[in-house]
Amino acid sequence: MKNKTAKDIMTTEVIVAHKGENIANVAKLLIKEKIGGLPVVDEENKVIGIISETDIMKKEKYVDTPRVINFLESIIFLDDVKKMEDDLKKIAAYKVEDLMSKDIIKVNEDDKFDDIANIMIKKSINRVPVVDENNQLKGIICRYDIIRAMYDE
């Protein structure tokens, strides 16, 4: 494995989503292709996020209203109101850009196999987009690709 790089193990025919796409269409695509997530790219094929089945499941989340107390004719919030606002935005989301994870880990084509596998294990992530020096999508590495590289020689 020491000599293998992302370029050697990545899947190059990547199904992608675009930020303006309808979430229902992306969900149907995940079902049809039997995959758990897609990179989200812009008009220049640059990776701007990931949309996963977990992100889509968040649309169905139950929103807890923050606990409050009334003190001297003022309302004091005991819980995080921002969290409730974020949950409401996800439930109301219609476009991929509203639900996608934006803070994602990407790897370069020349990154070493061991480094990529360790990143995926330490960060508990299922897939990493492979990009070039301009952040353009070149491929994707899923856990399946890691296992295949380890045992299918």
Side-chain angles (χ1 to χ4, degrees):
M1 299 302 133
K2 294 182 191 222
N3 298 328
K4 288 190 178 185
T5 63
K7 200 181 320 180
D8 300 323
I9 64 170
M10 69 185 183
T11 299
T12 55
E13 293 182 24
V14 184
I15 301 168
V16 299
H18 297 276
K19 66 181 182 178
E21 275 188 80
N22 179 304
I23 292 167
N25 292 341
V26 171
K28 289 175 187 172
L29 183 61
L30 292 176
I31 293 165
K32 177 183 171 212
E33 298 296 331
K34 297 181 177 147
I35 52 179
L38 306 170
V40 181
V41 296
D42 65 11
E43 302 79 26
E44 297 173 356
N45 204 40
K46 291 184 179 182
V47 178
I48 58 171
I50 295 254
I51 183 87
S52 70
E53 56 199 1
T54 303
D55 296 320
I56 293 171
M57 286 172 58
K58 288 177 184 175
K59 273 188 66 57
E60 300 303 318
K61 181 178 180 181
Y62 174 77
V63 178
D64 289 324
T65 55
R67 294 175 298 147
V68 297
I69 59 171
N70 194 339
F71 181 71
L72 298 176
E73 297 186 26
S74 297
I75 295 176
I76 299 172
F77 288 93
L78 301 175
D79 296 322
D80 186 3
V81 176
K82 176 83 171 104
K83 182 181 178 322
M84 183 187 79
E85 289 173 357
D86 290 344
D87 288 346
L88 286 171
K89 285 179 187 174
K90 288 177 182 167
I91 289 170
Y94 177 70
K95 301 285 184 196
V96 168
E97 65 187 322
D98 300 326
L99 270 186
M100 70 182 188
S101 300
K102 295 174 185 156
D103 184 25
I104 61 169
I105 295 171
K106 300 173 259 190
V107 297
N108 188 277
E109 298 172 284
D110 297 320
D111 286 353
K112 300 282 183 221
F113 171 86
D114 290 342
D115 295 336
I116 297 165
N118 283 325
I119 288 169
M120 292 176 75
I121 291 166
K122 286 179 185 173
K123 301 288 185 178
S124 292
I125 53 178
N126 297 331
R127 66 199 58 79
V128 290
V130 181
V131 297
D132 64 13
E133 60 279 350
N134 297 316
N135 196 37
Q136 289 194 316
L137 183 66
K138 294 297 178 183
I140 193 163
I141 297 174
C142 299
R143 290 180 179 179
Y144 168 82
D145 298 310
I146 298 289
I147 293 169
R148 185 184 67 210
M150 291 170 59
Y151 295 101
D152 190 27
E153 299 197 39

